[in-house]
Amino acid sequence: MSILTANDLYKIYGKGENEVRALDGVSLQIKEGEFAAVVGTSGSGKSTLLNMLGGLDRPTSGTVTVRGKQLFKMKDEALTVFRRRNIGFVFQNYNLVPVLNVYENIVLPVELDGIKPDESYIGSIIETLKLSEKLKSMPGNLSGGQQQRVAIARALSAKPAIILADEPTGNLDSKTTQEVMLLLQATSKTFHQTIVMITHNEEIAQTADRIIRVEDGKVVGQ
Ligand SMILES: Nc1ncnc2c1ncn2[C@@H]1O[C@H](COP(=O)(O)OP(=O)(O)OP(=O)(O)O)[C@@H](O)[C@H]1O
Ligand SMILES: [Mg+2]
């Protein structure tokens, strides 16, 4: 079953000679539980695509449907709430809240919703991502790999329909990259979590269930 559908997405920046077609008619479907890698050269439109799939930015035209709901029919406020409940983001630079400890960062999306965290589920995320020893630590005292594991745990905590990751291992050395990738794959399997991940690393892409190739704002292979 498709959990996310993008239909004929266009994102056009600028006008006339300065026009950039960052997305030039993209349609795709992501199935529940799928782990998809998005690859393509720099400037091909990968981040633009991911931001549209997650409703972080609105397209020039086209639709994105997540769990049966059309994102861009919603007003900004409703979209923000929908996003918090249904989409987990992981970025290259971790984006943790520096004044909150590891545990507080992980449960933040759930608590923002005024929901009591599902302790047994959160516990199994923490265990899978090997963060049990670090729950009281502040992000600034963690290594890059540890910070990214916290960001992945945070993305998972609200049981989102989909996790969107933009170069999650882009700042990590090769050993830590491998470690984080194995944990990401473990979470995908353990929690049947749908993940769409941008990577520059062909070797990493090959470990995904599926590779979506983007060139010049178009999907050229999937
Ligand atoms: N806010 C913006 N204003 C104008 N042009 C933009 C904007 N954001 C992106 N673009 C352009 O859209 C195109 C796609 O950019 P995007 O960031 O999606 O590429 P990318 O595939 O993620 O690249 P990278 O691998 O370097 O991260 C590029 O030509 C970029 O310059
Ligand atoms: Mg990018």
Side-chain angles (χ1 to χ4, degrees):
M1 198 189 100
S2 158
I3 200 156
L4 182 150
T5 303
N7 202 9
D8 219 15
L9 281 180
Y10 285 83
K11 181 69 176 182
I12 298 166
Y13 292 110
K15 284 216 158 66
E17 269 182 28
N18 297 320
E19 183 182 286
V20 176
R21 290 175 168 250
L23 289 183
D24 197 6
V26 169
S27 297
L28 55 82
Q29 296 201 348
I30 304 290
K31 285 208 268 308
E32 196 168 352
E34 196 165 43
F35 189 170
V38 177
V39 300
T41 52
S42 182
S44 57
K46 304 181 296 298
S47 295
T48 307
L49 174 60
L50 212 73
N51 291 346
M52 303 295 151
L53 296 184
L56 279 180
D57 197 4
R58 289 179 188 266
T60 305
S61 64
T63 61
V64 172
T65 308
V66 175
R67 277 183 174 155
K69 186 108 178 146
Q70 265 202 42
L71 298 191
F72 304 115
K73 276 196 171 167
M74 286 182 249
K75 297 217 171 85
D76 284 350
E77 229 166 90
L79 181 55
T80 302
V81 173
F82 184 85
R83 219 168 36 217
R84 194 162 64 221
R85 292 182 183 159
N86 293 285
I87 299 159
F89 292 96
V90 179
F91 299 101
Q92 186 169 343
N93 56 2
Y94 325 127
N95 280 7
L96 299 175
V97 180
V99 297
L100 299 181
N101 70 28
V102 165
Y103 181 79
E104 291 162 345
N105 264 284
I106 292 172
V107 297
L108 185 63
V110 184
E111 297 209 319
L112 280 174
D113 246 350
I115 297 166
K116 216 174 143 331
D118 175 343
E119 291 296 343
S120 88
Y121 172 67
I122 302 283
S124 62
I125 294 172
I126 288 167
E127 199 178 311
T128 305
L129 290 164
K130 300 189 165 55
L131 289 166
S132 313
E133 317 275 285
K134 295 287 175 193
L135 294 180
K136 295 245 158 64
S137 302
M138 303 307 281
N141 299 330
L142 300 178
S143 70
Q146 290 165 341
Q147 288 188 62
Q148 196 57 299
R149 275 150 45 199
V150 177
I152 293 167
R154 178 183 58 184
L156 283 160
S157 70
K159 299 184 185 170
I162 189 158
I163 287 190
L164 301 174
D166 195 342
E167 299 262 7
T169 58
N171 284 344
L172 305 176
D173 61 53
S174 61
K175 182 167 169 283
T176 314
T177 291
Q178 205 189 3
E179 206 177 281
V180 169
M181 281 310 301
L182 286 172
L183 291 172
L184 204 54
Q185 277 154 0
T187 58
S188 140
K189 294 282 168 292
T190 307
F191 305 111
H192 197 61
Q193 178 65 57
T194 313
I195 301 176
V196 178
M197 177 191 68
I198 295 176
T199 179
H200 267 113
N201 185 326
E202 187 68 30
E203 222 175 297
I204 288 178
Q206 291 298 339
T207 67
D209 298 332
R210 168 183 175 197
I211 300 181
I212 298 167
R213 293 188 189 276
V214 179
E215 273 317 319
D216 293 330
K218 295 188 174 75
V219 170
V220 295
Q222 60 172 311

